[in-house]
Amino acid sequence: QVQLVESGGGLVEPGGSLRLSCTASGFSIRGYFVKWYRQSPGKERELVAWLGEFGVATHHADAVRGRFTISRDNAKNMVFLQMNSLKPEDTAVYYCAVGSFRSDDYWGQGTQVTVSS
């Protein structure tokens, strides 16, 4: 059974950090692009970051560049999102996705991140 499961979300104060994890099962993430998206209430889902299949090519959205870092561990079949200097506007449900540069074949169920004092 193909599955992506996110974890690591929660409530954090502004300026704090969280590390999201995404564990894949039923398939290998090798050879795939990995991505993190987020969606806030009333807003469209937005791409936060992606990392290419070789772990070299990467992109982070302007809103998070310099604060968030996407990474992967193919041996553990996991994807990560290190989030530092969190802001209230980072509050959202965060989803991991695996696929190609242009498409997302597999999705997780999401993990809630709330940044509030």
Side-chain angles (χ1 to χ4, degrees), residues 79-102:
V79 185
F80 305 98
L81 185 69
Q82 178 66 44
M83 305 187 296
N84 299 327
S85 302
L86 282 160
K87 305 175 181 180
E89 51 264 44
D90 295 319
T91 295
V93 178
Y94 284 73
Y95 302 87
C96 71
V98 175
S100 68
F101 177 73
R102 297 185 185 279

Side-chain angles (χ1 to χ4, degrees), residues 70-81:
I70 186 172
S71 61
R72 63 191 296 163
D73 186 332
N74 288 346
K76 295 182 178 179
N77 227 20
M78 296 182 71
V79 185
F80 305 98
L81 185 69

